Amino acid sequence: MNFVFIFICFNSILLCIECQEDPLHKSLDTVETQYLSFNMSQYGSDGGVFSSPNFPHNYPQDAIIFYQFAASTNYRVVIEIDFFEIRGVSPQCTHDYLDVFINLTDFNLVNDQLLHRFCGRNRPPLLISITNLLLLGFFTEDMQTERGFNGSFRFIPAQRYKENLIREPCDYIFDSSKSKRGELFSPTYPGTYPPWQFCNYSFVGQSNERVHIRFRDLMLFKTPSTQHCAIDLIRLYDNTLHPIELERFLSSFKQTNPVDGGLLSEQSDSQHITDLCGTYSMPLDVYSTKSSLLFYFITTHYAELTNEEQTQLNEASIPSLWRKGFYAEYEFLSTLTTLDFIAKNQTNQYLSGTECDQTIKSFGKGHGILQSPNWPHFYKPQTSCSTYLLGIDDRYGLENVEIEFEQFDIDCQLAIFVIYNASRIHDYNLQSRPSYSFINSTLISKEKSFNNYYQQEVDFKDNLTFCGHFKPEGRFVSQNSLLKLSFIPKTRQANNHFPSLVNGGKFQAKYRFIKSYHQLSKNKSQLIDTGDCSLFYYQSRASNGKFQPPRSSDEDYFSNANCTFHFQILNSNFRLLISYDYFNIADNDVIDCPSDNLTYTYRSHSLYKSYPYIYCGYRNYPPPYLTDHSIEQFRIHFRSNNDSETGLGFDGRYEFVNRTHPLFSSQCRTPFDPIIEINDKEQSSGNLSSNGYPENVICEWSYRTKVDYQFKLDLTVVDLEGSKTKDPPQGCQSSVLRIFSEERIDELCGQQETVSYIITKSNWFTVQFISFTRQTGELLKGFHLTWTIIRSKTTDLDYLDCQPKNETAFSIHRSLICDNYVHCQPYSNADELSTNCSQLLSTNSYLVSFPFLRQHYIFISIIILLIILTITVAILLIFFIIKTKNYLHQEKLRSSTKTYFTDIDNHNLDDLTDVNLMKQTITTV
């Protein structure tokens, strides 16, 4: 019984939920449905007002009311809601709500599409029907109510929506032969547009015409903080579909709902101009390159903003997002300039959709002539063009844009010329210089060209405006890598009509992209001698940064330059790390580098020393460098000779690091670890390895032994990225193995096929392994070396002469003899000769014959003592066990004897007599 009751309740709840979700499921038997009609024949075109029941008081409970608005044929319905307050929260609207239908063929709701459901304080926007019918459905439930709504309605002609319409609901063709100009708009503009719509607007002009569309109003839904148009959009193509293709296109759209991006596959990316959504500053202009243009208006679902997005819009004082659609004007013009003046190459590119805008990119060595369209004649009427000059702006360098006018003629009554993001540079010190030339750049001395830019305060402005019949004097230099030039007719600045410029203007200018200059002196008023410059980098000011050579406007870096970069290290708790992102210093001889080069010096223990390596050439990267604890100051010297051969220079990085830096890994020793002291009697040889080829680590091992001893290093494996021997050499950009010893520094990278040997001149050496991010995915091994303590030839019996007849040979400890590794190389293999092994076996102790025993006799002795101790303990334990057993046996015997005599006492007297007689007999015998 309980089960039946629960089942009935559950079904009742489900029925209530279904009724709540769909108003049409409300029982018409229990709730009376009202139909209110507002016909154009009754109210006229001016319409009237309507409201919820009892307005301005609360509307009733359990109400279903349909407001039916019907216009005459060729008219549409317009609804404006003035006040709106319905119980519920958008978009769920689970209590009371107002449903809006604007795309009706009749008032039967079975097959008609809902525009949207409104509740709360989310007032519906302006509503315009697609047909001559519009329906509002108002639904309430049996709970608390609110004030409701009121509004007005009217009827407007539909003729403006049918101009150039070839197929319902919104397929248009605009033909130049029928009309040169006109207007276009979304299907319900300025009312909110419906979801799931696809509208086509095709423009077909004459062969000598171009299409111009100017948007006067545009408001399409767009999710805030997104860059693409994911919900609704306008998509423009520089083309028109053939009617057969258009038919196929529309047919595929009607069969696919919702709209899918794949529907636009008929058009290629090269013809795609742009996508528009959201809101824009008006007016907004779009142009075709030739006589045709295709315009798609696409809407999908009726998306809602989240509460957080709506709050963001409110806080930013942005009006509520409204699906108003668009309104635009179009015209077919034969007077627009042709695009022949834009060179079709990698450097110059037309900006699709603009009237005649172009970009000019540097690609490293750009310069040329910039002319107005239709040069040498005036601009054609109504022409407005912009040019964007783009220099390099990446990790390898920065370029500024420089222009200088040669001719200029623009009537101030008709137009203006604007330069954006630039400042004018007057050549006060170069008034007598030769004519400006891009071909022979040596006409300007390099020193003066460089100095000129740093002798004056450069005041960059947002824009500079010019007009008149005289060219602007001086040079104009961009603030960064972008410079924009725009020719703007005065009538273009008005928003209420098309431009009507009759006579244009013209100009011609030279442009070039110049390398960014680097300041060499704090005092800009002093002349800078590029032959001698110094830059200082103090740890107290910046812990890291970049450094580059000075560069001129005519070449990459200065010829005859002599610049030094000084790095001051704060204390021994820090090291200086130097690396390079780019390196290109011109020189044919990359070994000796007699021309342009880069060198290092450093101060250690108050003495200046020179680093033995010199760097130059292309791709010959200097390896990363880390100073040791004794270096107080590090200097990098850049030199270039006076010839015309230069390069892009270098892009260096510096960083002052301490032991907490992430490059110092726990998997190996670091430069901040103490020196490893070695005793030749305990360990005469050992190994060092990178343990594979790790990335982004800095490892450093420092070894020291007794005075008058030396180390021999056998490099058995060197397998790193880079190369210092290939032609041309690659350098050691990402990894380096550096070995320091007295009066010697070895710098290694690349692949080494044979074993190499290093003999130190003192009793110490340091191995530094630096590995940054790998440049390739090669399977490389890293490095491995064996070190051996050696002495000069000696008569010490503990040492063996590696080659007695050779005065340059050395001696090794006898513990290394016959250990299956030749320590006497490169001079001999005496330590592994069988004669030495057998001789040492007969003449020396047992330990001498067995290398393992010789090297580990202390360990072996301890083991032997432990064994003896163990045996002694075992013997004592056995003795104790035996003694214990004997004791227990004796105790058992005593117990047995005692029991025996006790039994005798308990016998009768006769038995005792027998015993006494027996004793007497035994005594007699």
Side-chain angles (χ1 to χ4, degrees):
M1 198 66 162
N2 292 335
F3 176 78
V4 173
F5 176 76
I6 294 173
F7 179 78
I8 294 172
C9 292
F10 180 73
N11 280 277
S12 301
I13 293 172
L14 289 179
L15 182 61
C16 291
I17 293 174
E18 291 178 358
C19 292
Q20 202 172 37
E21 289 179 348
D22 192 342
L24 299 181
H25 289 168
K26 284 181 179 286
S27 175
L28 300 182
D29 295 333
T30 58
V31 179
E32 181 181 358
T33 302
Q34 301 181 51
Y35 296 91
L36 303 179
S37 298
F38 303 89
N39 296 323
M40 182 176 175
S41 58
Q42 178 184 359
Y43 289 91
S45 60
D46 292 337
V49 296
F50 67 98
S51 65
S52 58
N54 302 329
F55 186 84
H57 303 293
N58 287 17
Y59 52 78
Q61 301 174 351
D62 290 330
I64 300 178
I65 305 174
F66 288 102
Y67 298 79
Q68 299 174 337
F69 300 88
S72 302
T73 306
N74 295 327
Y75 273 83
R76 291 191 177 189
V77 183
V78 179
I79 298 290
E80 291 185 79
I81 304 295
D82 298 320
F83 179 86
F84 191 83
E85 186 179 286
I86 294 180
R87 181 171 178 262
V89 178
S90 179
Q92 292 81 10
C93 297
T94 55
H95 298 290
D96 307 337
Y97 44 83
L98 181 71
D99 282 351
V100 178
F101 301 85
I102 64 172
N103 190 11
L104 300 172
T105 55
D106 55 43
F107 289 119
N108 183 1
L109 299 180
V110 176
N111 297 318
D112 290 295
Q113 195 176 63
L114 173 71
L115 171 67
H116 194 56
R117 176 169 292 174
F118 297 92
C119 64
R121 305 297 187 272
N122 186 18
R123 180 167 61 95
L126 179 69
L127 302 173
I128 298 179
S129 65
I130 295 179
T131 64
N132 65 324
L133 303 178
L134 189 148
L135 179 68
L136 303 179
F138 181 46
F139 305 89
T140 70
E141 63 180 17
D142 56 348
M143 297 182 70
Q144 65 188 59
T145 61
E146 297 194 31
R147 295 180 62 188
F149 59 87
N150 78 324
S152 62
F153 65 93
R154 67 181 188 274
F155 306 97
I156 60 173
Q159 183 59 36
R160 65 183 302 225
Y161 297 98
K162 297 183 181 294
E163 293 289 341
N164 301 300
L165 181 68
I166 62 170
R167 187 180 288 100
E168 292 285 355
C170 52
D171 297 328
Y172 298 86
I173 289 184
F174 302 89
D175 193 337
S176 170
S177 61
K178 297 179 180 179
S179 177
K180 295 295 183 184
R181 58 178 50 87
E183 61 181 9
L184 64 150
F185 27 74
S186 50
T188 55
Y189 181 85
T192 185
Y193 53 79
W196 310 121
Q197 293 291 304
F198 178 86
C199 297
N200 165 66
Y201 304 79
S202 293
F203 297 85
V204 181
Q206 305 298 316
S207 59
N208 64 335
E209 293 177 333
R210 294 176 64 190
V211 185
H212 173 208
I213 296 178
R214 168 162 284 194
F215 289 92
R216 295 295 187 181
D217 193 10
L218 191 151
M219 186 176 289
L220 306 185
F221 182 89
K222 179 184 179 183
T223 305
S225 304
T226 58
Q227 299 299 320
H228 61 287
C229 302
I231 310 297
D232 306 326
L233 76 154
I234 292 172
R235 177 163 288 188
L236 293 154
Y237 287 95
D238 197 10
N239 189 20
T240 301
L241 287 176
H242 188 274
I244 297 177
E245 294 174 330
L246 179 60
E247 192 72 36
R248 188 185 309 117
F249 188 91
L250 297 175
S251 176
S252 66
F253 170 76
K254 292 173 183 177
Q255 295 172 6
T256 307
N257 199 354
V259 174
D260 188 278
L263 294 174
L264 305 178
S265 59
E266 295 283 348
Q267 300 296 329
S268 65
D269 290 339
S270 62
Q271 297 170 331
H272 181 218
I273 296 175
T274 188
D275 290 343
L276 302 174
C277 61
T279 57
Y280 294 83
S281 299
M282 297 292 120
L284 176 65
D285 295 296
V286 176
Y287 297 84
S288 67
T289 57
K290 295 182 181 178
S291 59
S292 60
L293 185 141
L294 186 61
F295 182 125
Y296 292 139
F297 174 55
I298 304 168
T299 70
T300 60
H301 60 289
Y302 198 105
E304 290 278 0
L305 295 178
T306 64
N307 292 333
E308 182 179 351
E309 291 170 342
Q310 188 64 55
T311 302
Q312 291 176 357
L313 292 177
N314 295 337
E315 291 177 352
S317 300
I318 299 176
S320 298
L321 207 58
W322 183 19
R323 293 165 172 81
K324 187 178 181 181
F326 68 89
Y327 168 74
E329 298 168 336
Y330 73 90
E331 62 178 349
F332 296 94
L333 292 173
S334 59
T335 55
L336 288 177
T337 183
T338 60
L339 303 175
D340 299 337
F341 75 100
I342 300 176
K344 295 178 175 60
N345 52 40
Q346 184 185 27
T347 302
N348 297 55
Q349 296 289 331
Y350 163 68
L351 284 176
S352 180
T354 64
E355 182 174 358
C356 48
D357 295 354
Q358 65 172 323
T359 60
I360 301 177
K361 297 182 180 180
S362 162
F363 293 104
K365 293 262 185 180
H367 59 78
I369 303 296
L370 181 64
Q371 297 175 331
S372 55
N374 205 36
W375 179 267
H377 307 291
F378 286 101
Y379 267 69
K380 287 188 177 183
Q382 303 186 21
T383 301
S384 176
C385 295
S386 294
T387 300
Y388 300 85
L389 294 103
L390 303 173
I392 291 177
D393 185 5
D394 56 26
R395 70 174 191 167
Y396 299 119
L398 170 68
E399 288 181 335
N400 296 113
V401 188
E402 180 183 284
I403 66 168
E404 185 174 18
F405 289 95
E406 293 186 327
Q407 296 189 43
F408 191 89
D409 189 359
I410 296 177
D411 192 331
C412 293
Q413 299 297 320
L414 301 176
I416 58 174
F417 188 87
V418 183
I419 305 176
Y420 299 89
N421 193 39
S423 182
R424 175 156 40 185
I425 305 296
H426 294 282
D427 296 324
Y428 298 115
N429 297 312
L430 300 176
Q431 294 180 357
S432 61
R433 65 184 177 90
S435 299
Y436 197 90
S437 173
F438 288 97
I439 307 300
N440 184 9
S441 60
T442 58
L443 293 177
I444 307 174
S445 69
K446 298 175 183 178
E447 289 78 10
K448 290 184 178 179
S449 177
F450 180 84
N451 293 337
N452 178 62
Y453 280 80
Y454 285 99
Q455 290 180 68
Q456 48 198 302
E457 294 294 334
V458 180
D459 181 20
F460 287 100
K461 300 181 175 159
D462 293 336
N463 59 74
L464 299 167
T465 303
F466 302 95
C467 62
H469 305 291
F470 300 95
K471 67 177 183 179
E473 293 297 329
R475 286 176 287 168
F476 297 87
V477 181
S478 64
Q479 183 176 11
N480 45 41
S481 61
L482 170 65
L483 184 71
K484 178 184 176 183
L485 311 173
S486 294
F487 179 87
I488 304 176
K490 285 291 184 68
T491 52
R492 289 270 174 172
Q493 301 170 58
N495 293 332
N496 55 0
H497 57 80
F498 276 114
S500 58
L501 181 65
V502 178
N503 296 314
K506 64 179 182 179
F507 66 88
Q508 176 175 285
K510 291 184 176 182
Y511 71 85
R512 65 175 176 174
F513 300 93
I514 55 179
K515 296 294 180 182
S516 178
Y517 302 105
H518 296 274
Q519 182 177 335
L520 302 181
S521 173
K522 295 180 181 178
N523 189 354
K524 296 181 181 179
S525 62
Q526 296 179 355
L527 290 177
I528 301 172
D529 181 7
T530 59
D532 188 12
C533 64
S534 293
L535 290 91
F536 292 83
Y537 303 87
Y538 295 95
Q539 183 180 349
S540 57
R541 298 179 183 176
S543 61
N544 60 78
K546 300 181 68 173
F547 60 95
Q548 298 172 324
R551 305 183 184 191
S552 71
S553 59
D554 302 317
E555 302 294 342
D556 297 314
Y557 56 76
F558 285 108
S559 298
N560 196 28
N562 183 5
C563 283
T564 302
F565 304 87
H566 302 261
F567 300 91
Q568 194 71 37
I569 303 172
L570 190 62
N571 54 51
S572 60
N573 294 324
F574 284 88
R575 307 281 191 272
L576 174 66
L577 178 62
I578 298 290
S579 60
Y580 297 86
D581 294 331
Y582 184 79
F583 190 82
N584 184 354
I585 294 178
D587 206 310
N588 295 327
D589 184 354
V590 295
I591 304 300
D592 298 324
C593 301
S595 300
D596 304 351
N597 59 63
L598 195 72
T599 58
Y600 299 159
T601 60
Y602 52 88
R603 186 177 68 189
S604 177
H605 303 295
S606 301
L607 297 176
Y608 279 99
K609 301 178 182 179
S610 296
Y611 191 68
Y613 290 90
I614 186 170
Y615 307 102
C616 65
Y618 171 62
R619 295 176 61 201
N620 186 13
Y621 276 86
Y625 185 95
L626 182 71
T627 62
D628 66 33
H629 67 93
S630 65
I631 294 181
E632 305 159 1
Q633 186 184 55
F634 189 80
R635 298 186 297 190
I636 299 177
H637 308 276
F638 171 66
R639 306 287 183 268
S640 64
N641 61 10
N642 58 3
D643 60 24
S644 59
E645 295 292 331
T646 60
L648 295 176
F650 55 85
D651 210 1
R653 295 179 182 272
Y654 71 90
E655 186 174 6
F656 297 97
V657 299
N658 59 16
R659 64 173 63 249
T660 62
H661 197 278
L663 288 174
F664 301 130
S665 172
S666 59
Q667 60 185 300
C668 63
R669 295 182 65 85
T670 75
F672 298 95
D673 291 333
I675 298 175
I676 302 173
E677 299 287 349
I678 301 296
N679 188 325
D680 66 313
K681 304 296 183 182
E682 298 176 358
Q683 187 179 7
S684 300
S685 181
N687 299 292
L688 276 178
S689 171
S690 58
N691 291 322
Y693 197 166
E695 289 185 280
N696 297 312
V697 297
I698 298 179
C699 305
E700 187 173 288
W701 300 264
S702 294
Y703 284 78
R704 184 169 57 195
T705 186
K706 293 183 291 187
V707 180
D708 297 332
Y709 289 74
Q710 299 166 258
F711 285 97
K712 181 174 75 73
L713 309 179
D714 301 357
L715 293 164
T716 56
V717 175
V718 176
D719 193 19
L720 309 176
E721 284 188 334
S723 173
K724 302 191 76 172
T725 58
K726 291 182 179 180
D727 189 16
Q730 300 173 357
C732 307
Q733 180 186 11
S734 62
S735 303
V736 64
L737 174 65
R738 192 176 281 110
I739 301 175
F740 301 89
S741 59
E742 187 72 28
E743 300 180 7
R744 177 169 181 169
I745 299 176
D746 293 88
E747 197 172 78
L748 306 168
C749 66
Q751 290 80 45
Q752 178 177 287
E753 297 180 356
T754 60
V755 179
S756 60
Y757 304 92
I758 298 174
I759 298 178
T760 66
K761 292 187 176 181
S762 64
N763 64 328
W764 66 272
F765 75 92
T766 296
V767 174
Q768 187 183 89
F769 173 66
I770 302 178
S771 175
F772 287 167
T773 302
R774 295 275 299 276
Q775 304 296 312
T776 66
E778 295 181 81
L779 296 176
L780 303 175
K781 300 177 183 178
F783 81 91
H784 183 276
L785 66 82
T786 298
W787 57 265
T788 304
I789 296 178
I790 63 174
R791 294 185 63 180
S792 300
K793 294 184 64 175
T794 178
T795 58
D796 191 340
L797 295 179
D798 289 337
Y799 277 78
L800 171 70
D801 285 342
C802 282
Q803 193 173 357
K805 296 181 181 180
N806 191 328
E807 295 182 358
T808 61
F810 50 81
S811 301
I812 63 173
H813 198 273
R814 287 184 174 274
S815 61
L816 302 178
I817 298 175
C818 298
D819 64 351
N820 297 320
Y821 186 88
V822 182
H823 294 278
C824 285
Q825 290 289 9
Y827 299 116
S828 71
N829 60 345
D831 56 320
E832 293 299 315
L833 290 177
S834 57
T835 54
N836 283 337
C837 293
S838 59
Q839 180 183 3
L840 291 171
L841 181 62
S842 60
T843 57
N844 291 336
S845 66
Y846 179 81
L847 294 174
V848 176
S849 299
F850 295 92
F852 178 82
L853 299 179
R854 293 198 307 269
Q855 296 181 27
H856 304 283
Y857 64 89
I858 295 178
F859 179 71
I860 294 172
S861 300
I862 293 173
I863 292 177
I864 293 173
L865 290 175
L866 289 174
I867 292 172
I868 294 173
L869 181 60
T870 303
I871 294 172
T872 304
V873 172
I875 293 172
L876 292 175
L877 182 60
I878 293 171
F879 177 77
F880 176 76
I881 292 172
I882 294 172
K883 188 174 180 180
T884 302
K885 286 184 176 181
N886 290 336
Y887 174 78
L888 294 175
H889 181 66
Q890 291 175 4
E891 287 294 326
K892 186 176 181 181
L893 288 176
R894 291 192 188 97
S895 176
S896 300
T897 305
K898 184 177 181 181
T899 302
Y900 173 75
F901 283 109
T902 302
D903 292 339
I904 292 176
D905 292 337
N906 294 332
H907 286 172
N908 54 37
L909 182 60
D910 293 338
D911 293 335
L912 183 58
T913 304
D914 291 339
V915 173
N916 292 329
L917 289 174
M918 186 181 296
K919 287 183 178 180
Q920 291 177 3
T921 304
I922 292 171
T923 303
T924 304
V925 176

